[in-house]
Every structure is written in structure tokens, then in C-alpha cells.
Amino acid sequence: MSGHLHDEGHTVAGWAGACIATVGATVAGLGVVMTSVALAGVGVGIVVVAVLVTWLLHLVGWGKAPGPRSRAAWGLRVRDAGARDGHPGCVACRLAGRGRHTAMTAAVTATAAAVTTGPDPEDPRSAVAETGN
């Protein structure tokens, strides 16, 4: 694979989720062919389990951040040390409440700055809030 010049994103989380989802899709497909609502429902349940397993493995470091990785991190057995703090722009991390610390800190700082400086004379909304109208 000497011609492999970009990161494909293959991770333990991705492979595990894909394998479980394949089983779920197969079971759901058999349920449709056999006209069994129960079997189709079990298949859909397995696919939901695949999503949860992938998400949990991502959160413990067996996934990857969005975007390309460094060449040293391309191996399947390389854990992601940055998963604990949350990846920027990662929906899975945001759903778990990770990576919000900087956004929260920025919002609190902006609110504190607005309170200490008072209303903005250029902003017509601040004049309405000041007069109570």
C-alpha cells in the first residue's frame, strides 16, 4: 500500500459499527422478505445497537476526529488521545457533552463583558431594554 497517500479513517469504532450494522441490515432484510414485522424490528434494533456501539467506542478513543489525521495515527490499533476532551466540530462528542467547555467559557465571558459595559448605544435593542418598552 505504498500508494496510500491519504487517511481513509478506518478505526476500531468504524469497523465494529459497520459489522454490527451489516448484521442488523441483513436481519431486517430477512424480516421484509419473510414478511415478519418482528424480525424486521429486531434488525432495526441491531442497527440502533451498532450506532450506540460506534458512538461509545469513539468516545473512549477508538474513533477519530473529523478530518484528516497525521500519518502516525493511521494505524487501526492507535487510540485517539484527544477523545477525552472532545473533538472540535464532532457531533458525537457534542452529543456526549464534550468540547463545550471553550464555547461555554466564551459565552460566559461575553455575557460578563456586556453586563459590565452596559447597553450598547449603537444597538437599538439595548435602548428598548433600558427603557423597559
Side-chain angles (χ1 to χ4, degrees):
M1 290 226 181
S2 61
H4 188 81
L5 300 176
H6 60 280
D7 178 23
E8 291 289 334
H10 300 304
T11 62
V12 172
W15 280 107
C19 291
I20 297 169
T22 300
V23 170
T26 301
V27 171
L30 284 172
V32 170
V33 170
M34 297 172 63
T35 61
S36 170
V37 175
L39 194 58
V42 168
V44 170
I46 293 171
V47 170
V48 170
V49 168
V51 170
L52 293 175
V53 166
T54 304
W55 182 42
L56 291 174
L57 284 172
H58 172 80
L59 292 177
V60 297
W62 289 111
K64 79 176 210 69
R69 296 183 287 181
S70 67
R71 190 160 182 98
W74 284 8
L76 188 63
R77 293 187 180 115
V78 177
R79 286 187 77 172
D80 182 12
R84 178 173 289 258
D85 299 326
H87 302 113
C90 178
V91 175
C93 290
R94 296 287 294 195
L95 286 173
R98 296 181 180 179
R100 296 182 184 205
H101 305 294
T102 56
M104 281 288 230
T105 305
V108 169
T109 304
T111 304
V115 169
T116 57
T117 59
D120 183 9
E122 299 294 322
D123 187 6
R125 292 176 295 181
S126 63
V128 170
E130 190 176 285
T131 61
N133 294 335

mmCIF file with all atom_site columns, all heavy atoms in Angstrom, residues 111-133:
data_model
loop_
_atom_site.group_PDB
_atom_site.id
_atom_site.type_symbol
_atom_site.label_atom_id
_atom_site.label_alt_id
_atom_site.label_comp_id
_atom_site.label_asym_id
_atom_site.label_entity_id
_atom_site.label_seq_id
_atom_site.pdbx_PDB_ins_code
_atom_site.Cartn_x
_atom_site.Cartn_y
_atom_site.Cartn_z
_atom_site.occupancy
_atom_site.B_iso_or_equiv
_atom_site.pdbx_formal_charge
_atom_site.auth_seq_id
_atom_site.auth_comp_id
_atom_site.auth_asym_id
_atom_site.auth_atom_id
_atom_site.pdbx_PDB_model_num
ATOM 1   N N   . THR A 1 111 ? -21.053 37.453 28.041 1.00 0.00 ? 111 THR A N   1
ATOM 2   C CA  . THR A 1 111 ? -22.156 37.950 28.861 1.00 0.00 ? 111 THR A CA  1
ATOM 3   C C   . THR A 1 111 ? -21.631 38.858 29.970 1.00 0.00 ? 111 THR A C   1
ATOM 4   O O   . THR A 1 111 ? -22.193 39.921 30.231 1.00 0.00 ? 111 THR A O   1
ATOM 5   C CB  . THR A 1 111 ? -22.940 36.772 29.471 1.00 0.00 ? 111 THR A CB  1
ATOM 6   O OG1 . THR A 1 111 ? -23.377 35.931 28.416 1.00 0.00 ? 111 THR A OG1 1
ATOM 7   C CG2 . THR A 1 111 ? -24.121 37.251 30.268 1.00 0.00 ? 111 THR A CG2 1
ATOM 8   N N   . ALA A 1 112 ? -20.552 38.452 30.606 1.00 0.00 ? 112 ALA A N   1
ATOM 9   C CA  . ALA A 1 112 ? -19.963 39.267 31.672 1.00 0.00 ? 112 ALA A CA  1
ATOM 10  C C   . ALA A 1 112 ? -19.474 40.602 31.126 1.00 0.00 ? 112 ALA A C   1
ATOM 11  O O   . ALA A 1 112 ? -19.640 41.645 31.767 1.00 0.00 ? 112 ALA A O   1
ATOM 12  C CB  . ALA A 1 112 ? -18.818 38.514 32.339 1.00 0.00 ? 112 ALA A CB  1
ATOM 13  N N   . ALA A 1 113 ? -18.896 40.597 29.939 1.00 0.00 ? 113 ALA A N   1
ATOM 14  C CA  . ALA A 1 113 ? -18.425 41.842 29.333 1.00 0.00 ? 113 ALA A CA  1
ATOM 15  C C   . ALA A 1 113 ? -19.593 42.763 29.007 1.00 0.00 ? 113 ALA A C   1
ATOM 16  O O   . ALA A 1 113 ? -19.514 43.978 29.202 1.00 0.00 ? 113 ALA A O   1
ATOM 17  C CB  . ALA A 1 113 ? -17.617 41.539 28.074 1.00 0.00 ? 113 ALA A CB  1
ATOM 18  N N   . ALA A 1 114 ? -20.704 42.195 28.536 1.00 0.00 ? 114 ALA A N   1
ATOM 19  C CA  . ALA A 1 114 ? -21.871 43.008 28.214 1.00 0.00 ? 114 ALA A CA  1
ATOM 20  C C   . ALA A 1 114 ? -22.486 43.608 29.464 1.00 0.00 ? 114 ALA A C   1
ATOM 21  O O   . ALA A 1 114 ? -22.942 44.754 29.460 1.00 0.00 ? 114 ALA A O   1
ATOM 22  C CB  . ALA A 1 114 ? -22.908 42.169 27.475 1.00 0.00 ? 114 ALA A CB  1
ATOM 23  N N   . VAL A 1 115 ? -22.485 42.875 30.556 1.00 0.00 ? 115 VAL A N   1
ATOM 24  C CA  . VAL A 1 115 ? -23.057 43.371 31.804 1.00 0.00 ? 115 VAL A CA  1
ATOM 25  C C   . VAL A 1 115 ? -22.202 44.490 32.383 1.00 0.00 ? 115 VAL A C   1
ATOM 26  O O   . VAL A 1 115 ? -22.722 45.503 32.847 1.00 0.00 ? 115 VAL A O   1
ATOM 27  C CB  . VAL A 1 115 ? -23.207 42.211 32.821 1.00 0.00 ? 115 VAL A CB  1
ATOM 28  C CG1 . VAL A 1 115 ? -23.533 42.738 34.206 1.00 0.00 ? 115 VAL A CG1 1
ATOM 29  C CG2 . VAL A 1 115 ? -24.280 41.247 32.350 1.00 0.00 ? 115 VAL A CG2 1
ATOM 30  N N   . THR A 1 116 ? -20.889 44.349 32.325 1.00 0.00 ? 116 THR A N   1
ATOM 31  C CA  . THR A 1 116 ? -20.013 45.368 32.919 1.00 0.00 ? 116 THR A CA  1
ATOM 32  C C   . THR A 1 116 ? -19.944 46.639 32.082 1.00 0.00 ? 116 THR A C   1
ATOM 33  O O   . THR A 1 116 ? -19.764 47.715 32.626 1.00 0.00 ? 116 THR A O   1
ATOM 34  C CB  . THR A 1 116 ? -18.591 44.828 33.122 1.00 0.00 ? 116 THR A CB  1
ATOM 35  O OG1 . THR A 1 116 ? -18.076 44.381 31.876 1.00 0.00 ? 116 THR A OG1 1
ATOM 36  C CG2 . THR A 1 116 ? -18.581 43.694 34.120 1.00 0.00 ? 116 THR A CG2 1
ATOM 37  N N   . THR A 1 117 ? -20.106 46.548 30.764 1.00 0.00 ? 117 THR A N   1
ATOM 38  C CA  . THR A 1 117 ? -20.012 47.745 29.924 1.00 0.00 ? 117 THR A CA  1
ATOM 39  C C   . THR A 1 117 ? -21.342 48.449 29.768 1.00 0.00 ? 117 THR A C   1
ATOM 40  O O   . THR A 1 117 ? -21.392 49.599 29.364 1.00 0.00 ? 117 THR A O   1
ATOM 41  C CB  . THR A 1 117 ? -19.476 47.381 28.531 1.00 0.00 ? 117 THR A CB  1
ATOM 42  O OG1 . THR A 1 117 ? -20.340 46.433 27.930 1.00 0.00 ? 117 THR A OG1 1
ATOM 43  C CG2 . THR A 1 117 ? -18.066 46.841 28.611 1.00 0.00 ? 117 THR A CG2 1
ATOM 44  N N   . GLY A 1 118 ? -22.452 47.784 30.086 1.00 0.00 ? 118 GLY A N   1
ATOM 45  C CA  . GLY A 1 118 ? -23.759 48.403 29.952 1.00 0.00 ? 118 GLY A CA  1
ATOM 46  C C   . GLY A 1 118 ? -24.290 48.272 28.542 1.00 0.00 ? 118 GLY A C   1
ATOM 47  O O   . GLY A 1 118 ? -23.707 47.603 27.687 1.00 0.00 ? 118 GLY A O   1
ATOM 48  N N   . PRO A 1 119 ? -25.422 48.926 28.251 1.00 0.00 ? 119 PRO A N   1
ATOM 49  C CA  . PRO A 1 119 ? -26.042 48.804 26.935 1.00 0.00 ? 119 PRO A CA  1
ATOM 50  C C   . PRO A 1 119 ? -25.209 49.486 25.855 1.00 0.00 ? 119 PRO A C   1
ATOM 51  O O   . PRO A 1 119 ? -24.541 50.490 26.105 1.00 0.00 ? 119 PRO A O   1
ATOM 52  C CB  . PRO A 1 119 ? -27.404 49.483 27.103 1.00 0.00 ? 119 PRO A CB  1
ATOM 53  C CG  . PRO A 1 119 ? -27.269 50.348 28.305 1.00 0.00 ? 119 PRO A CG  1
ATOM 54  C CD  . PRO A 1 119 ? -26.216 49.740 29.164 1.00 0.00 ? 119 PRO A CD  1
ATOM 55  N N   . ASP A 1 120 ? -25.288 48.931 24.668 1.00 0.00 ? 120 ASP A N   1
ATOM 56  C CA  . ASP A 1 120 ? -24.567 49.473 23.525 1.00 0.00 ? 120 ASP A CA  1
ATOM 57  C C   . ASP A 1 120 ? -25.393 50.611 22.922 1.00 0.00 ? 120 ASP A C   1
ATOM 58  O O   . ASP A 1 120 ? -26.522 50.394 22.488 1.00 0.00 ? 120 ASP A O   1
ATOM 59  C CB  . ASP A 1 120 ? -24.341 48.367 22.491 1.00 0.00 ? 120 ASP A CB  1
ATOM 60  C CG  . ASP A 1 120 ? -23.520 48.830 21.301 1.00 0.00 ? 120 ASP A CG  1
ATOM 61  O OD1 . ASP A 1 120 ? -22.973 49.947 21.341 1.00 0.00 ? 120 ASP A OD1 1
ATOM 62  O OD2 . ASP A 1 120 ? -23.427 48.065 20.314 1.00 0.00 ? 120 ASP A OD2 1
ATOM 63  N N   . PRO A 1 121 ? -24.846 51.839 22.875 1.00 0.00 ? 121 PRO A N   1
ATOM 64  C CA  . PRO A 1 121 ? -25.634 52.955 22.339 1.00 0.00 ? 121 PRO A CA  1
ATOM 65  C C   . PRO A 1 121 ? -25.937 52.804 20.851 1.00 0.00 ? 121 PRO A C   1
ATOM 66  O O   . PRO A 1 121 ? -26.878 53.393 20.348 1.00 0.00 ? 121 PRO A O   1
ATOM 67  C CB  . PRO A 1 121 ? -24.767 54.191 22.618 1.00 0.00 ? 121 PRO A CB  1
ATOM 68  C CG  . PRO A 1 121 ? -23.404 53.670 22.906 1.00 0.00 ? 121 PRO A CG  1
ATOM 69  C CD  . PRO A 1 121 ? -23.554 52.271 23.363 1.00 0.00 ? 121 PRO A CD  1
ATOM 70  N N   . GLU A 1 122 ? -25.163 52.016 20.132 1.00 0.00 ? 122 GLU A N   1
ATOM 71  C CA  . GLU A 1 122 ? -25.384 51.813 18.706 1.00 0.00 ? 122 GLU A CA  1
ATOM 72  C C   . GLU A 1 122 ? -26.467 50.772 18.425 1.00 0.00 ? 122 GLU A C   1
ATOM 73  O O   . GLU A 1 122 ? -26.988 50.706 17.333 1.00 0.00 ? 122 GLU A O   1
ATOM 74  C CB  . GLU A 1 122 ? -24.073 51.362 18.038 1.00 0.00 ? 122 GLU A CB  1
ATOM 75  C CG  . GLU A 1 122 ? -22.949 52.368 18.144 1.00 0.00 ? 122 GLU A CG  1
ATOM 76  C CD  . GLU A 1 122 ? -23.252 53.640 17.365 1.00 0.00 ? 122 GLU A CD  1
ATOM 77  O OE1 . GLU A 1 122 ? -23.837 53.533 16.269 1.00 0.00 ? 122 GLU A OE1 1
ATOM 78  O OE2 . GLU A 1 122 ? -22.914 54.728 17.848 1.00 0.00 ? 122 GLU A OE2 1
ATOM 79  N N   . ASP A 1 123 ? -26.795 49.949 19.433 1.00 0.00 ? 123 ASP A N   1
ATOM 80  C CA  . ASP A 1 123 ? -27.756 48.868 19.252 1.00 0.00 ? 123 ASP A CA  1
ATOM 81  C C   . ASP A 1 123 ? -29.135 49.337 19.706 1.00 0.00 ? 123 ASP A C   1
ATOM 82  O O   . ASP A 1 123 ? -29.338 49.619 20.879 1.00 0.00 ? 123 ASP A O   1
ATOM 83  C CB  . ASP A 1 123 ? -27.313 47.642 20.064 1.00 0.00 ? 123 ASP A CB  1
ATOM 84  C CG  . ASP A 1 123 ? -28.175 46.426 19.790 1.00 0.00 ? 123 ASP A CG  1
ATOM 85  O OD1 . ASP A 1 123 ? -29.040 46.489 18.888 1.00 0.00 ? 123 ASP A OD1 1
ATOM 86  O OD2 . ASP A 1 123 ? -27.980 45.406 20.474 1.00 0.00 ? 123 ASP A OD2 1
ATOM 87  N N   . PRO A 1 124 ? -30.114 49.436 18.770 1.00 0.00 ? 124 PRO A N   1
ATOM 88  C CA  . PRO A 1 124 ? -31.446 49.923 19.156 1.00 0.00 ? 124 PRO A CA  1
ATOM 89  C C   . PRO A 1 124 ? -32.154 48.982 20.133 1.00 0.00 ? 124 PRO A C   1
ATOM 90  O O   . PRO A 1 124 ? -32.989 49.417 20.907 1.00 0.00 ? 124 PRO A O   1
ATOM 91  C CB  . PRO A 1 124 ? -32.207 50.017 17.836 1.00 0.00 ? 124 PRO A CB  1
ATOM 92  C CG  . PRO A 1 124 ? -31.422 49.238 16.851 1.00 0.00 ? 124 PRO A CG  1
ATOM 93  C CD  . PRO A 1 124 ? -30.021 49.161 17.354 1.00 0.00 ? 124 PRO A CD  1
ATOM 94  N N   . ARG A 1 125 ? -31.814 47.709 20.131 1.00 0.00 ? 125 ARG A N   1
ATOM 95  C CA  . ARG A 1 125 ? -32.452 46.768 21.057 1.00 0.00 ? 125 ARG A CA  1
ATOM 96  C C   . ARG A 1 125 ? -32.056 47.077 22.493 1.00 0.00 ? 125 ARG A C   1
ATOM 97  O O   . ARG A 1 125 ? -32.838 46.890 23.413 1.00 0.00 ? 125 ARG A O   1
ATOM 98  C CB  . ARG A 1 125 ? -32.064 45.330 20.717 1.00 0.00 ? 125 ARG A CB  1
ATOM 99  C CG  . ARG A 1 125 ? -32.642 44.873 19.380 1.00 0.00 ? 125 ARG A CG  1
ATOM 100 C CD  . ARG A 1 125 ? -32.146 43.517 19.062 1.00 0.00 ? 125 ARG A CD  1
ATOM 101 N NE  . ARG A 1 125 ? -30.675 43.626 18.881 1.00 0.00 ? 125 ARG A NE  1
ATOM 102 C CZ  . ARG A 1 125 ? -29.889 42.647 18.572 1.00 0.00 ? 125 ARG A CZ  1
ATOM 103 N NH1 . ARG A 1 125 ? -30.366 41.440 18.423 1.00 0.00 ? 125 ARG A NH1 1
ATOM 104 N NH2 . ARG A 1 125 ? -28.595 42.821 18.408 1.00 0.00 ? 125 ARG A NH2 1
ATOM 105 N N   . SER A 1 126 ? -30.831 47.561 22.716 1.00 0.00 ? 126 SER A N   1
ATOM 106 C CA  . SER A 1 126 ? -30.401 47.843 24.074 1.00 0.00 ? 126 SER A CA  1
ATOM 107 C C   . SER A 1 126 ? -31.131 49.076 24.635 1.00 0.00 ? 126 SER A C   1
ATOM 108 O O   . SER A 1 126 ? -31.380 49.158 25.820 1.00 0.00 ? 126 SER A O   1
ATOM 109 C CB  . SER A 1 126 ? -28.896 48.051 24.128 1.00 0.00 ? 126 SER A CB  1
ATOM 110 O OG  . SER A 1 126 ? -28.533 49.172 23.375 1.00 0.00 ? 126 SER A OG  1
ATOM 111 N N   . ALA A 1 127 ? -31.524 49.989 23.791 1.00 0.00 ? 127 ALA A N   1
ATOM 112 C CA  . ALA A 1 127 ? -32.275 51.151 24.247 1.00 0.00 ? 127 ALA A CA  1
ATOM 113 C C   . ALA A 1 127 ? -33.667 50.738 24.694 1.00 0.00 ? 127 ALA A C   1
ATOM 114 O O   . ALA A 1 127 ? -34.189 51.226 25.700 1.00 0.00 ? 127 ALA A O   1
ATOM 115 C CB  . ALA A 1 127 ? -32.368 52.202 23.139 1.00 0.00 ? 127 ALA A CB  1
ATOM 116 N N   . VAL A 1 128 ? -34.290 49.804 23.986 1.00 0.00 ? 128 VAL A N   1
ATOM 117 C CA  . VAL A 1 128 ? -35.613 49.309 24.361 1.00 0.00 ? 128 VAL A CA  1
ATOM 118 C C   . VAL A 1 128 ? -35.528 48.574 25.681 1.00 0.00 ? 128 VAL A C   1
ATOM 119 O O   . VAL A 1 128 ? -36.359 48.758 26.567 1.00 0.00 ? 128 VAL A O   1
ATOM 120 C CB  . VAL A 1 128 ? -36.177 48.382 23.249 1.00 0.00 ? 128 VAL A CB  1
ATOM 121 C CG1 . VAL A 1 128 ? -37.434 47.671 23.720 1.00 0.00 ? 128 VAL A CG1 1
ATOM 122 C CG2 . VAL A 1 128 ? -36.447 49.171 22.009 1.00 0.00 ? 128 VAL A CG2 1
ATOM 123 N N   . ALA A 1 129 ? -34.497 47.771 25.842 1.00 0.00 ? 129 ALA A N   1
ATOM 124 C CA  . ALA A 1 129 ? -34.336 47.027 27.090 1.00 0.00 ? 129 ALA A CA  1
ATOM 125 C C   . ALA A 1 129 ? -34.081 47.964 28.258 1.00 0.00 ? 129 ALA A C   1
ATOM 126 O O   . ALA A 1 129 ? -34.540 47.741 29.369 1.00 0.00 ? 129 ALA A O   1
ATOM 127 C CB  . ALA A 1 129 ? -33.176 46.030 26.955 1.00 0.00 ? 129 ALA A CB  1
ATOM 128 N N   . GLU A 1 130 ? -33.390 49.075 28.003 1.00 0.00 ? 130 GLU A N   1
ATOM 129 C CA  . GLU A 1 130 ? -33.050 50.024 29.066 1.00 0.00 ? 130 GLU A CA  1
ATOM 130 C C   . GLU A 1 130 ? -34.275 50.794 29.530 1.00 0.00 ? 130 GLU A C   1
ATOM 131 O O   . GLU A 1 130 ? -34.469 51.038 30.696 1.00 0.00 ? 130 GLU A O   1
ATOM 132 C CB  . GLU A 1 130 ? -31.977 50.987 28.534 1.00 0.00 ? 130 GLU A CB  1
ATOM 133 C CG  . GLU A 1 130 ? -31.367 51.864 29.597 1.00 0.00 ? 130 GLU A CG  1
ATOM 134 C CD  . GLU A 1 130 ? -30.272 52.691 29.016 1.00 0.00 ? 130 GLU A CD  1
ATOM 135 O OE1 . GLU A 1 130 ? -29.180 52.148 28.765 1.00 0.00 ? 130 GLU A OE1 1
ATOM 136 O OE2 . GLU A 1 130 ? -30.506 53.888 28.797 1.00 0.00 ? 130 GLU A OE2 1
ATOM 137 N N   . THR A 1 131 ? -35.154 51.174 28.583 1.00 0.00 ? 131 THR A N   1
ATOM 138 C CA  . THR A 1 131 ? -36.337 51.947 28.946 1.00 0.00 ? 131 THR A CA  1
ATOM 139 C C   . THR A 1 131 ? -37.465 51.071 29.405 1.00 0.00 ? 131 THR A C   1
ATOM 140 O O   . THR A 1 131 ? -38.421 51.566 29.990 1.00 0.00 ? 131 THR A O   1
ATOM 141 C CB  . THR A 1 131 ? -36.806 52.793 27.734 1.00 0.00 ? 131 THR A CB  1
ATOM 142 O OG1 . THR A 1 131 ? -37.130 51.903 26.672 1.00 0.00 ? 131 THR A OG1 1
ATOM 143 C CG2 . THR A 1 131 ? -35.756 53.797 27.323 1.00 0.00 ? 131 THR A CG2 1
ATOM 144 N N   . GLY A 1 132 ? -37.409 49.782 29.104 1.00 0.00 ? 132 GLY A N   1
ATOM 145 C CA  . GLY A 1 132 ? -38.461 48.869 29.530 1.00 0.00 ? 132 GLY A CA  1
ATOM 146 C C   . GLY A 1 132 ? -39.616 48.801 28.557 1.00 0.00 ? 132 GLY A C   1
ATOM 147 O O   . GLY A 1 132 ? -40.658 48.273 28.853 1.00 0.00 ? 132 GLY A O   1
ATOM 148 N N   . ASN A 1 133 ? -39.493 49.402 27.377 1.00 0.00 ? 133 ASN A N   1
ATOM 149 C CA  . ASN A 1 133 ? -40.576 49.372 26.373 1.00 0.00 ? 133 ASN A CA  1
ATOM 150 C C   . ASN A 1 133 ? -40.520 48.129 25.551 1.00 0.00 ? 133 ASN A C   1
ATOM 151 O O   . ASN A 1 133 ? -39.670 47.628 25.078 1.00 0.00 ? 133 ASN A O   1
ATOM 152 C CB  . ASN A 1 133 ? -40.502 50.602 25.472 1.00 0.00 ? 133 ASN A CB  1
ATOM 153 C CG  . ASN A 1 133 ? -40.795 51.869 26.246 1.00 0.00 ? 133 ASN A CG  1
ATOM 154 O OD1 . ASN A 1 133 ? -41.481 51.801 27.260 1.00 0.00 ? 133 ASN A OD1 1
ATOM 155 N ND2 . ASN A 1 133 ? -40.287 52.982 25.786 1.00 0.00 ? 133 ASN A ND2 1
#
